[in-house]
Amino acid sequence: MKQSATIQDVARLAGVSTATVSRVLSKPGVVRSHTQEQVMAAVRQLDYQPVAAARALASGRTHTVGCVIPTLDHAIFARSTQAMQTTLAQAGYQLLVASHEYDPGTELELVRALQQRGVDALVLVGTDHAPRLWEALSVWRKPTLLTWSCDPRLPSLGFDNAGAARMATEHLLGLGHRDIAVISGFSAHNDRARSRIEGVRQALTQHKLTLQPSLITEQAFNLEGGRLGLRKLMSARQPPTAIFCGNDLLAVGALLEAQRMHLKVPEQLSICGIDNLEIAEAINPGLTTVSLPTQDLGRIAAQYMLSAISGEVIAAQSLLPFELVVRGSTAVLSS
């Protein structure tokens, strides 16, 4: 069995000291570029794999970033997490991902486990966290970034979720709809869902309309949730003529259920989502939705964390832009 190369082997081949090899691998910025090239050529030739523990001791870093997201079973989080992973990998960092399924207690345990593992930074989703987690983060001496929403207590990178919902609702109002309902994901422990409901309410209020409690239904953030929500709303004494859904999966589920119920979309019912997943364009009719640049979110989050780990000051609050994508699932209210 072939014996693994050692740091001494790399130093011998590169013609430098083992201390220089260590500096190139842990703090390349303090070593001349010519020396870096010599050392890295030797590393590649010998297929040298530095021991992570030794690198951590030498640099004070583990070259890992922890990311705790609500669920792994959602394409919107997958896109942003993949972009984060790719950007971090290009800088020599590994992303450790965990999910808590909207359980604050589980999230606290996961964050503590990542901190004990020695991650160099943490990325969390949203602003709904257990009080004990906020306390733990306040005394942790490493960077933490909130994503998807903003909170003044920590550096944040996210979206104006209420504003995105207002944009969608203004579109429906502009088409003449006044009986507008909402299919939302469960809002417990989910500030994004609550903000999107509030955005619909704000838009209606500006037009002297009210979002009645009977026109809001909370369901699981998936296709079945959209189907169940649609059935519930359309069974009302005065069913809506338009529905805003808290994400595209809910909206697609609602659209499919409307077709099953022989409701014509958009002639009899307009449906609007938020996210702009691939399925929004693939379905027939195409789904009108608010497009969120989630890949940009993941990429910029990674860049922020790399900067913060290096000691740079990052923006306290950053909101990413979004836009309305109009497709065939919404139309002018027919008289």
Side-chain angles (χ1 to χ4, degrees):
M1 186 172 182
K2 185 179 177 181
Q3 188 173 2
S4 299
T6 66
I7 192 171
Q8 288 81 8
D9 296 329
V10 174
R12 190 178 305 113
L13 181 60
V16 299
S17 68
T18 55
T20 298
V21 175
S22 179
R23 280 194 292 272
V24 169
L25 295 176
S26 61
K27 299 178 181 178
V30 303
V31 183
R32 289 181 300 177
S33 59
H34 176 68
T35 303
Q36 286 186 47
E37 292 171 5
Q38 284 181 284
V39 171
M40 293 313 297
V43 167
R44 289 190 293 271
Q45 183 176 334
L46 295 171
D47 192 23
Y48 173 63
Q49 301 293 327
V51 179
R55 289 185 66 190
L57 285 172
S59 65
R61 298 175 186 166
T62 60
H63 288 82
T64 58
V65 172
C67 178
V68 183
I69 60 178
T71 178
L72 294 169
D73 190 27
H74 197 319
I76 203 72
F77 290 124
R79 288 200 304 189
S80 61
T81 303
Q82 179 61 50
M84 196 185 313
Q85 146 73 26
T86 300
T87 305
L88 288 172
Q90 290 170 349
Y93 276 76
Q94 182 179 9
L95 183 66
L96 304 180
V97 182
S99 67
H100 56 77
E101 297 303 324
Y102 298 96
D103 184 319
T106 300
E107 183 185 35
L108 175 60
E109 293 175 3
L110 291 171
V111 167
R112 282 177 168 168
L114 288 167
Q115 289 176 328
Q116 291 166 6
R117 194 180 180 93
V119 294
D120 297 322
L122 276 170
V123 178
L124 304 179
V125 171
T127 62
D128 279 7
H129 305 290
R132 290 169 64 193
L133 178 54
W134 281 111
E135 293 170 7
L137 294 174
S138 69
V139 297
W140 199 50
R141 297 183 180 276
K142 296 181 181 180
T144 301
L145 178 71
L146 298 182
T147 56
W148 290 86
S149 305
C150 290
D151 190 289
R153 288 173 285 185
L154 283 173
S156 308
L157 172 69
F159 306 106
D160 178 358
N161 288 288
R166 281 198 306 273
M167 176 181 284
T169 308
E170 289 289 353
H171 168 67
L172 296 173
L173 288 164
L175 295 173
H177 296 280
R178 294 298 179 267
D179 297 315
I180 299 174
V182 175
I183 302 177
S184 171
F186 295 117
S187 60
H189 312 304
N190 189 332
D191 61 279
R192 285 89 57 212
R194 293 197 304 276
S195 293
R196 292 173 187 181
I197 294 173
E198 182 57 28
V200 175
R201 184 176 285 110
Q202 290 170 359
L204 292 174
T205 299
Q206 289 176 355
H207 288 75
K208 303 187 185 320
L209 299 171
T210 302
L211 180 60
Q212 300 291 345
S214 60
L215 291 180
I216 305 172
T217 179
E218 295 189 6
Q219 305 288 340
F221 265 129
N222 54 33
L223 294 174
E224 184 61 19
R227 288 181 177 277
L228 292 173
L230 189 283
R231 287 205 297 271
K232 180 177 180 181
L233 293 172
M234 299 312 292
S235 66
R237 182 179 304 174
Q238 184 174 348
T241 64
I243 299 176
F244 167 77
C245 298
N247 73 2
D248 282 352
L249 289 180
L250 288 170
V252 170
L255 193 156
L256 292 173
E257 186 64 17
Q259 293 173 340
R260 192 194 67 80
M261 296 172 64
H262 304 294
L263 289 170
K264 294 181 179 179
V265 176
E267 293 84 356
Q268 293 175 281
L269 180 68
S270 285
I271 298 175
C272 185
I274 184 167
D275 285 340
N276 199 26
L277 298 177
E278 288 184 21
I279 195 174
E281 187 174 15
I283 198 169
N284 185 31
L287 180 67
T288 294
T289 185
V290 178
S291 180
L292 303 180
T294 53
Q295 289 180 310
D296 289 346
L297 176 77
R299 176 179 53 80
I300 296 171
Q303 292 170 344
Y304 274 14
M305 287 295 87
L306 292 170
S307 296
I309 290 168
S310 298
E312 299 176 25
V313 177
I314 62 175
Q317 310 283 301
S318 298
L319 289 174
L320 296 180
F322 48 82
E323 62 179 342
L324 182 71
V325 179
V326 179
R327 298 191 179 100
S329 68
T330 56
V332 174
L333 177 64
S334 56
S335 55

mmCIF file of all heavy atoms in Angstrom, residues 266-312:
data_model
loop_
_atom_site.group_PDB
_atom_site.id
_atom_site.type_symbol
_atom_site.label_atom_id
_atom_site.label_comp_id
_atom_site.label_asym_id
_atom_site.label_seq_id
_atom_site.Cartn_x
_atom_site.Cartn_y
_atom_site.Cartn_z
ATOM 1 N N PRO A 266 -56.228 31.460 -16.457
ATOM 2 C CA PRO A 266 -56.605 32.521 -15.511
ATOM 3 C C PRO A 266 -58.016 33.067 -15.710
ATOM 4 O O PRO A 266 -58.379 34.054 -15.060
ATOM 5 C CB PRO A 266 -55.579 33.598 -15.842
ATOM 6 C CG PRO A 266 -55.443 33.492 -17.335
ATOM 7 C CD PRO A 266 -55.546 32.017 -17.642
ATOM 8 N N GLU A 267 -58.818 32.495 -16.612
ATOM 9 C CA GLU A 267 -60.120 33.083 -16.925
ATOM 10 C C GLU A 267 -61.025 33.187 -15.702
ATOM 11 O O GLU A 267 -61.695 34.217 -15.500
ATOM 12 C CB GLU A 267 -60.822 32.260 -18.013
ATOM 13 C CG GLU A 267 -60.140 32.305 -19.372
ATOM 14 C CD GLU A 267 -59.025 31.302 -19.503
ATOM 15 O OE1 GLU A 267 -58.710 30.605 -18.504
ATOM 16 O OE2 GLU A 267 -58.463 31.200 -20.603
ATOM 17 N N GLN A 268 -61.034 32.150 -14.876
ATOM 18 C CA GLN A 268 -61.884 32.171 -13.684
ATOM 19 C C GLN A 268 -61.107 32.439 -12.400
ATOM 20 O O GLN A 268 -61.699 32.875 -11.400
ATOM 21 C CB GLN A 268 -62.615 30.818 -13.549
ATOM 22 C CG GLN A 268 -63.627 30.551 -14.647
ATOM 23 C CD GLN A 268 -64.221 29.158 -14.518
ATOM 24 O OE1 GLN A 268 -63.592 28.173 -14.904
ATOM 25 N NE2 GLN A 268 -65.432 29.072 -13.981
ATOM 26 N N LEU A 269 -59.813 32.170 -12.420
ATOM 27 C CA LEU A 269 -59.014 32.323 -11.210
ATOM 28 C C LEU A 269 -57.572 32.637 -11.583
ATOM 29 O O LEU A 269 -56.958 31.906 -12.376
ATOM 30 C CB LEU A 269 -59.054 31.027 -10.390
ATOM 31 C CG LEU A 269 -58.256 31.011 -9.086
ATOM 32 C CD1 LEU A 269 -58.869 31.958 -8.059
ATOM 33 C CD2 LEU A 269 -58.164 29.587 -8.517
ATOM 34 N N SER A 270 -57.057 33.734 -11.034
ATOM 35 C CA SER A 270 -55.649 34.080 -11.232
ATOM 36 C C SER A 270 -54.837 33.588 -10.044
ATOM 37 O O SER A 270 -55.278 33.673 -8.896
ATOM 38 C CB SER A 270 -55.477 35.596 -11.380
ATOM 39 O OG SER A 270 -55.911 36.040 -12.643
ATOM 40 N N ILE A 271 -53.640 33.067 -10.340
ATOM 41 C CA ILE A 271 -52.770 32.529 -9.292
ATOM 42 C C ILE A 271 -51.371 33.087 -9.468
ATOM 43 O O ILE A 271 -50.829 33.097 -10.580
ATOM 44 C CB ILE A 271 -52.726 30.985 -9.349
ATOM 45 C CG1 ILE A 271 -54.122 30.402 -9.091
ATOM 46 C CG2 ILE A 271 -51.727 30.426 -8.335
ATOM 47 C CD1 ILE A 271 -54.204 28.890 -9.256
ATOM 48 N N CYS A 272 -50.775 33.530 -8.366
ATOM 49 C CA CYS A 272 -49.445 34.129 -8.391
ATOM 50 C C CYS A 272 -48.591 33.496 -7.298
ATOM 51 O O CYS A 272 -49.072 33.227 -6.192
ATOM 52 C CB CYS A 272 -49.534 35.637 -8.183
ATOM 53 S SG CYS A 272 -47.963 36.500 -8.340
ATOM 54 N N GLY A 273 -47.329 33.246 -7.594
ATOM 55 C CA GLY A 273 -46.412 32.663 -6.615
ATOM 56 C C GLY A 273 -45.257 33.576 -6.280
ATOM 57 O O GLY A 273 -45.290 34.775 -6.552
ATOM 58 N N ILE A 274 -44.237 32.991 -5.689
ATOM 59 C CA ILE A 274 -43.025 33.734 -5.366
ATOM 60 C C ILE A 274 -41.858 32.736 -5.304
ATOM 61 O O ILE A 274 -41.990 31.675 -4.711
ATOM 62 C CB ILE A 274 -43.183 34.502 -4.029
ATOM 63 C CG1 ILE A 274 -41.961 35.354 -3.737
ATOM 64 C CG2 ILE A 274 -43.444 33.580 -2.860
ATOM 65 C CD1 ILE A 274 -42.184 36.366 -2.614
ATOM 66 N N ASP A 275 -40.781 33.045 -5.973
ATOM 67 C CA ASP A 275 -39.527 32.274 -6.033
ATOM 68 C C ASP A 275 -38.987 32.250 -7.456
ATOM 69 O O ASP A 275 -37.817 32.491 -7.687
ATOM 70 C CB ASP A 275 -39.665 30.802 -5.581
ATOM 71 C CG ASP A 275 -39.780 30.630 -4.086
ATOM 72 O OD1 ASP A 275 -39.387 31.565 -3.360
ATOM 73 O OD2 ASP A 275 -40.284 29.580 -3.646
ATOM 74 N N ASN A 276 -39.851 31.893 -8.430
ATOM 75 C CA ASN A 276 -39.467 31.684 -9.824
ATOM 76 C C ASN A 276 -38.610 30.427 -9.972
ATOM 77 O O ASN A 276 -37.514 30.454 -10.546
ATOM 78 C CB ASN A 276 -38.747 32.894 -10.427
ATOM 79 C CG ASN A 276 -38.771 32.874 -11.952
ATOM 80 O OD1 ASN A 276 -39.682 32.289 -12.552
ATOM 81 N ND2 ASN A 276 -37.783 33.494 -12.569
ATOM 82 N N LEU A 277 -39.134 29.313 -9.495
ATOM 83 C CA LEU A 277 -38.501 28.018 -9.709
ATOM 84 C C LEU A 277 -38.663 27.602 -11.175
ATOM 85 O O LEU A 277 -39.490 28.153 -11.899
ATOM 86 C CB LEU A 277 -39.141 26.962 -8.809
ATOM 87 C CG LEU A 277 -39.017 27.163 -7.300
ATOM 88 C CD1 LEU A 277 -39.770 26.054 -6.571
ATOM 89 C CD2 LEU A 277 -37.559 27.190 -6.866
ATOM 90 N N GLU A 278 -37.902 26.611 -11.609
ATOM 91 C CA GLU A 278 -37.980 26.147 -12.998
ATOM 92 C C GLU A 278 -39.384 25.691 -13.366
ATOM 93 O O GLU A 278 -39.839 25.891 -14.492
ATOM 94 C CB GLU A 278 -36.998 24.992 -13.217
ATOM 95 C CG GLU A 278 -35.534 25.424 -13.240
ATOM 96 C CD GLU A 278 -34.607 24.276 -13.555
ATOM 97 O OE1 GLU A 278 -35.076 23.269 -14.135
ATOM 98 O OE2 GLU A 278 -33.424 24.378 -13.212
ATOM 99 N N ILE A 279 -40.085 25.073 -12.417
ATOM 100 C CA ILE A 279 -41.416 24.558 -12.704
ATOM 101 C C ILE A 279 -42.402 25.678 -13.030
ATOM 102 O O ILE A 279 -43.401 25.461 -13.707
ATOM 103 C CB ILE A 279 -41.937 23.717 -11.507
ATOM 104 C CG1 ILE A 279 -43.143 22.882 -11.933
ATOM 105 C CG2 ILE A 279 -42.251 24.600 -10.297
ATOM 106 C CD1 ILE A 279 -43.619 21.914 -10.869
ATOM 107 N N ALA A 280 -42.107 26.911 -12.574
ATOM 108 C CA ALA A 280 -43.008 28.032 -12.826
ATOM 109 C C ALA A 280 -43.136 28.320 -14.316
ATOM 110 O O ALA A 280 -44.201 28.706 -14.802
ATOM 111 C CB ALA A 280 -42.505 29.274 -12.090
ATOM 112 N N GLU A 281 -42.051 28.113 -15.057
ATOM 113 C CA GLU A 281 -42.079 28.332 -16.500
ATOM 114 C C GLU A 281 -42.531 27.092 -17.254
ATOM 115 O O GLU A 281 -43.116 27.178 -18.333
ATOM 116 C CB GLU A 281 -40.690 28.750 -16.986
ATOM 117 C CG GLU A 281 -40.630 29.165 -18.438
ATOM 118 C CD GLU A 281 -39.270 29.710 -18.826
ATOM 119 O OE1 GLU A 281 -38.301 29.517 -18.068
ATOM 120 O OE2 GLU A 281 -39.182 30.339 -19.901
ATOM 121 N N ALA A 282 -42.275 25.917 -16.679
ATOM 122 C CA ALA A 282 -42.572 24.661 -17.376
ATOM 123 C C ALA A 282 -44.047 24.305 -17.363
ATOM 124 O O ALA A 282 -44.548 23.661 -18.280
ATOM 125 C CB ALA A 282 -41.759 23.528 -16.748
ATOM 126 N N ILE A 283 -44.769 24.725 -16.320
ATOM 127 C CA ILE A 283 -46.176 24.341 -16.197
ATOM 128 C C ILE A 283 -47.025 25.119 -17.195
ATOM 129 O O ILE A 283 -46.627 26.173 -17.700
ATOM 130 C CB ILE A 283 -46.658 24.570 -14.744
ATOM 131 C CG1 ILE A 283 -47.936 23.796 -14.471
ATOM 132 C CG2 ILE A 283 -46.814 26.059 -14.451
ATOM 133 C CD1 ILE A 283 -48.327 23.760 -13.006
ATOM 134 N N ASN A 284 -48.219 24.595 -17.473
ATOM 135 C CA ASN A 284 -49.137 25.260 -18.401
ATOM 136 C C ASN A 284 -50.480 25.520 -17.715
ATOM 137 O O ASN A 284 -51.113 24.583 -17.242
ATOM 138 C CB ASN A 284 -49.357 24.380 -19.645
ATOM 139 C CG ASN A 284 -50.203 25.066 -20.689
ATOM 140 O OD1 ASN A 284 -50.174 26.290 -20.817
ATOM 141 N ND2 ASN A 284 -50.967 24.279 -21.437
ATOM 142 N N PRO A 285 -50.911 26.789 -17.613
ATOM 143 C CA PRO A 285 -50.194 27.981 -18.077
ATOM 144 C C PRO A 285 -48.988 28.291 -17.191
ATOM 145 O O PRO A 285 -48.925 27.865 -16.039
ATOM 146 C CB PRO A 285 -51.263 29.079 -17.963
ATOM 147 C CG PRO A 285 -52.135 28.623 -16.843
ATOM 148 C CD PRO A 285 -52.200 27.130 -16.983
ATOM 149 N N GLY A 286 -48.043 29.051 -17.733
ATOM 150 C CA GLY A 286 -46.882 29.463 -16.965
ATOM 151 C C GLY A 286 -47.304 30.268 -15.752
ATOM 152 O O GLY A 286 -48.309 30.982 -15.764
ATOM 153 N N LEU A 287 -46.536 30.138 -14.682
ATOM 154 C CA LEU A 287 -46.903 30.764 -13.407
ATOM 155 C C LEU A 287 -46.339 32.177 -13.296
ATOM 156 O O LEU A 287 -45.126 32.393 -13.419
ATOM 157 C CB LEU A 287 -46.377 29.916 -12.249
ATOM 158 C CG LEU A 287 -46.673 30.431 -10.838
ATOM 159 C CD1 LEU A 287 -48.175 30.374 -10.553
ATOM 160 C CD2 LEU A 287 -45.897 29.625 -9.804
ATOM 161 N N THR A 288 -47.229 33.135 -13.054
ATOM 162 C CA THR A 288 -46.778 34.484 -12.690
ATOM 163 C C THR A 288 -46.190 34.415 -11.281
ATOM 164 O O THR A 288 -46.799 33.833 -10.375
ATOM 165 C CB THR A 288 -47.953 35.476 -12.722
ATOM 166 O OG1 THR A 288 -48.412 35.614 -14.073
ATOM 167 C CG2 THR A 288 -47.528 36.842 -12.195
ATOM 168 N N THR A 289 -45.024 35.002 -11.105
ATOM 169 C CA THR A 289 -44.339 34.861 -9.823
ATOM 170 C C THR A 289 -43.377 36.016 -9.599
ATOM 171 O O THR A 289 -43.052 36.761 -10.536
ATOM 172 C CB THR A 289 -43.579 33.518 -9.770
ATOM 173 O OG1 THR A 289 -43.010 33.327 -8.480
ATOM 174 C CG2 THR A 289 -42.470 33.462 -10.811
ATOM 175 N N VAL A 290 -42.935 36.172 -8.371
ATOM 176 C CA VAL A 290 -41.898 37.146 -8.047
ATOM 177 C C VAL A 290 -40.572 36.397 -8.010
ATOM 178 O O VAL A 290 -40.405 35.438 -7.247
ATOM 179 C CB VAL A 290 -42.163 37.831 -6.692
ATOM 180 C CG1 VAL A 290 -41.029 38.818 -6.367
ATOM 181 C CG2 VAL A 290 -43.501 38.564 -6.724
ATOM 182 N N SER A 291 -39.651 36.822 -8.851
ATOM 183 C CA SER A 291 -38.368 36.141 -8.968
ATOM 184 C C SER A 291 -37.394 36.637 -7.909
ATOM 185 O O SER A 291 -37.110 37.838 -7.824
ATOM 186 C CB SER A 291 -37.775 36.378 -10.364
ATOM 187 O OG SER A 291 -36.528 35.724 -10.500
ATOM 188 N N LEU A 292 -36.892 35.709 -7.093
ATOM 189 C CA LEU A 292 -35.893 36.027 -6.076
ATOM 190 C C LEU A 292 -34.539 35.481 -6.531
ATOM 191 O O LEU A 292 -34.451 34.296 -6.867
ATOM 192 C CB LEU A 292 -36.269 35.395 -4.729
ATOM 193 C CG LEU A 292 -37.626 35.751 -4.133
ATOM 194 C CD1 LEU A 292 -37.819 35.023 -2.796
ATOM 195 C CD2 LEU A 292 -37.765 37.253 -3.940
ATOM 196 N N PRO A 293 -33.495 36.299 -6.543
ATOM 197 C CA PRO A 293 -32.176 35.828 -6.986
ATOM 198 C C PRO A 293 -31.485 34.989 -5.909
ATOM 199 O O PRO A 293 -30.518 35.417 -5.268
ATOM 200 C CB PRO A 293 -31.430 37.135 -7.264
ATOM 201 C CG PRO A 293 -32.018 38.116 -6.302
ATOM 202 C CD PRO A 293 -33.480 37.734 -6.185
ATOM 203 N N THR A 294 -31.970 33.778 -5.709
ATOM 204 C CA THR A 294 -31.483 32.957 -4.599
ATOM 205 C C THR A 294 -30.050 32.471 -4.806
ATOM 206 O O THR A 294 -29.318 32.277 -3.837
ATOM 207 C CB THR A 294 -32.413 31.751 -4.385
ATOM 208 O OG1 THR A 294 -32.568 31.054 -5.626
ATOM 209 C CG2 THR A 294 -33.778 32.217 -3.922
ATOM 210 N N GLN A 295 -29.655 32.252 -6.073
ATOM 211 C CA GLN A 295 -28.262 31.876 -6.312
ATOM 212 C C GLN A 295 -27.329 33.019 -5.941
ATOM 213 O O GLN A 295 -26.258 32.799 -5.376
ATOM 214 C CB GLN A 295 -28.071 31.447 -7.765
ATOM 215 C CG GLN A 295 -28.717 30.094 -8.083
ATOM 216 C CD GLN A 295 -28.514 29.693 -9.526
ATOM 217 O OE1 GLN A 295 -28.767 30.469 -10.439
ATOM 218 N NE2 GLN A 295 -28.068 28.469 -9.743
ATOM 219 N N ASP A 296 -27.739 34.242 -6.256
ATOM 220 C CA ASP A 296 -26.950 35.407 -5.847
ATOM 221 C C ASP A 296 -26.854 35.483 -4.328
ATOM 222 O O ASP A 296 -25.809 35.836 -3.781
ATOM 223 C CB ASP A 296 -27.577 36.699 -6.384
ATOM 224 C CG ASP A 296 -27.419 36.847 -7.887
ATOM 225 O OD1 ASP A 296 -26.605 36.107 -8.475
ATOM 226 O OD2 ASP A 296 -28.123 37.687 -8.483
ATOM 227 N N LEU A 297 -27.958 35.158 -3.668
ATOM 228 C CA LEU A 297 -27.952 35.162 -2.202
ATOM 229 C C LEU A 297 -26.870 34.235 -1.662
ATOM 230 O O LEU A 297 -26.084 34.617 -0.786
ATOM 231 C CB LEU A 297 -29.326 34.738 -1.680
ATOM 232 C CG LEU A 297 -29.448 34.614 -0.153
ATOM 233 C CD1 LEU A 297 -29.573 35.987 0.483
ATOM 234 C CD2 LEU A 297 -30.637 33.750 0.220
ATOM 235 N N GLY A 298 -26.820 32.998 -2.170
ATOM 236 C CA GLY A 298 -25.825 32.038 -1.699
ATOM 237 C C GLY A 298 -24.409 32.477 -2.007
ATOM 238 O O GLY A 298 -23.513 32.372 -1.162
ATOM 239 N N ARG A 299 -24.197 32.982 -3.220
ATOM 240 C CA ARG A 299 -22.855 33.402 -3.629
ATOM 241 C C ARG A 299 -22.370 34.588 -2.798
ATOM 242 O O ARG A 299 -21.241 34.593 -2.291
ATOM 243 C CB ARG A 299 -22.870 33.780 -5.118
ATOM 244 C CG ARG A 299 -21.549 34.331 -5.636
ATOM 245 C CD ARG A 299 -21.663 34.649 -7.132
ATOM 246 N NE ARG A 299 -22.795 35.509 -7.417
ATOM 247 C CZ ARG A 299 -22.786 36.830 -7.245
ATOM 248 N NH1 ARG A 299 -21.715 37.436 -6.768
ATOM 249 N NH2 ARG A 299 -23.857 37.557 -7.538
ATOM 250 N N ILE A 300 -23.236 35.584 -2.620
ATOM 251 C CA ILE A 300 -22.839 36.774 -1.867
ATOM 252 C C ILE A 300 -22.662 36.439 -0.391
ATOM 253 O O ILE A 300 -21.759 36.962 0.273
ATOM 254 C CB ILE A 300 -23.880 37.899 -2.065
ATOM 255 C CG1 ILE A 300 -23.911 38.329 -3.538
ATOM 256 C CG2 ILE A 300 -23.563 39.095 -1.175
ATOM 257 C CD1 ILE A 300 -25.048 39.269 -3.881
ATOM 258 N N ALA A 301 -23.503 35.561 0.139
ATOM 259 C CA ALA A 301 -23.355 35.138 1.541
ATOM 260 C C ALA A 301 -21.979 34.525 1.761
ATOM 261 O O ALA A 301 -21.305 34.801 2.760
ATOM 262 C CB ALA A 301 -24.455 34.152 1.914
ATOM 263 N N ALA A 302 -21.547 33.674 0.821
ATOM 264 C CA ALA A 302 -20.226 33.056 0.938
ATOM 265 C C ALA A 302 -19.127 34.113 0.878
ATOM 266 O O ALA A 302 -18.163 34.080 1.666
ATOM 267 C CB ALA A 302 -20.028 32.035 -0.184
ATOM 268 N N GLN A 303 -19.277 35.062 -0.027
ATOM 269 C CA GLN A 303 -18.272 36.123 -0.141
ATOM 270 C C GLN A 303 -18.217 36.962 1.132
ATOM 271 O O GLN A 303 -17.130 37.336 1.598
ATOM 272 C CB GLN A 303 -18.593 37.012 -1.346
ATOM 273 C CG GLN A 303 -18.416 36.304 -2.680
ATOM 274 C CD GLN A 303 -18.950 37.101 -3.852
ATOM 275 O OE1 GLN A 303 -19.719 38.061 -3.685
ATOM 276 N NE2 GLN A 303 -18.563 36.715 -5.054
ATOM 277 N N TYR A 304 -19.378 37.248 1.709
ATOM 278 C CA TYR A 304 -19.428 37.994 2.967
ATOM 279 C C TYR A 304 -18.695 37.233 4.070
ATOM 280 O O TYR A 304 -17.936 37.803 4.854
ATOM 281 C CB TYR A 304 -20.882 38.219 3.391
ATOM 282 C CG TYR A 304 -21.544 39.435 2.784
ATOM 283 C CD1 TYR A 304 -20.985 40.104 1.711
ATOM 284 C CD2 TYR A 304 -22.763 39.913 3.276
ATOM 285 C CE1 TYR A 304 -21.604 41.212 1.154
ATOM 286 C CE2 TYR A 304 -23.387 41.020 2.728
ATOM 287 C CZ TYR A 304 -22.802 41.659 1.667
ATOM 288 O OH TYR A 304 -23.426 42.752 1.126
ATOM 289 N N MET A 305 -18.944 35.924 4.155
ATOM 290 C CA MET A 305 -18.318 35.134 5.210
ATOM 291 C C MET A 305 -16.805 35.064 5.041
ATOM 292 O O MET A 305 -16.057 35.152 6.013
ATOM 293 C CB MET A 305 -18.914 33.731 5.228
ATOM 294 C CG MET A 305 -20.328 33.652 5.779
ATOM 295 S SD MET A 305 -20.452 34.102 7.542
ATOM 296 C CE MET A 305 -20.668 35.890 7.437
ATOM 297 N N LEU A 306 -16.345 34.918 3.808
ATOM 298 C CA LEU A 306 -14.904 34.893 3.558
ATOM 299 C C LEU A 306 -14.264 36.218 3.954
ATOM 300 O O LEU A 306 -13.173 36.244 4.539
ATOM 301 C CB LEU A 306 -14.632 34.579 2.081
ATOM 302 C CG LEU A 306 -14.988 33.162 1.626
ATOM 303 C CD1 LEU A 306 -14.909 33.057 0.104
ATOM 304 C CD2 LEU A 306 -14.073 32.137 2.279
ATOM 305 N N SER A 307 -14.949 37.310 3.655
ATOM 306 C CA SER A 307 -14.433 38.630 4.039
ATOM 307 C C SER A 307 -14.397 38.778 5.548
ATOM 308 O O SER A 307 -13.419 39.271 6.123
ATOM 309 C CB SER A 307 -15.301 39.736 3.423
ATOM 310 O OG SER A 307 -15.229 39.704 2.010
ATOM 311 N N ALA A 308 -15.486 38.351 6.207
ATOM 312 C CA ALA A 308 -15.558 38.481 7.667
ATOM 313 C C ALA A 308 -14.499 37.617 8.351
ATOM 314 O O ALA A 308 -13.879 38.038 9.337
ATOM 315 C CB ALA A 308 -16.948 38.086 8.152
ATOM 316 N N ILE A 309 -14.268 36.416 7.834
ATOM 317 C CA ILE A 309 -13.244 35.540 8.408
ATOM 318 C C ILE A 309 -11.865 36.188 8.294
ATOM 319 O O ILE A 309 -11.012 36.035 9.177
ATOM 320 C CB ILE A 309 -13.259 34.165 7.697
ATOM 321 C CG1 ILE A 309 -14.541 33.395 8.070
ATOM 322 C CG2 ILE A 309 -12.033 33.329 8.070
ATOM 323 C CD1 ILE A 309 -14.786 32.170 7.213
ATOM 324 N N SER A 310 -11.664 36.940 7.217
ATOM 325 C CA SER A 310 -10.382 37.625 7.008
ATOM 326 C C SER A 310 -10.249 38.890 7.835
ATOM 327 O O SER A 310 -9.229 39.572 7.763
ATOM 328 C CB SER A 310 -10.214 37.956 5.525
ATOM 329 O OG SER A 310 -10.193 36.780 4.746
ATOM 330 N N GLY A 311 -11.301 39.227 8.595
ATOM 331 C CA GLY A 311 -11.238 40.397 9.453
ATOM 332 C C GLY A 311 -11.823 41.655 8.864
ATOM 333 O O GLY A 311 -11.769 42.723 9.478
ATOM 334 N N GLU A 312 -12.399 41.562 7.666
ATOM 335 C CA GLU A 312 -13.001 42.735 7.045
ATOM 336 C C GLU A 312 -14.392 42.999 7.630
ATOM 337 O O GLU A 312 -15.071 42.090 8.090
ATOM 338 C CB GLU A 312 -13.113 42.534 5.528
ATOM 339 C CG GLU A 312 -11.779 42.329 4.830
ATOM 340 C CD GLU A 312 -11.943 42.050 3.351
ATOM 341 O OE1 GLU A 312 -12.970 42.471 2.787
ATOM 342 O OE2 GLU A 312 -11.055 41.395 2.768
#
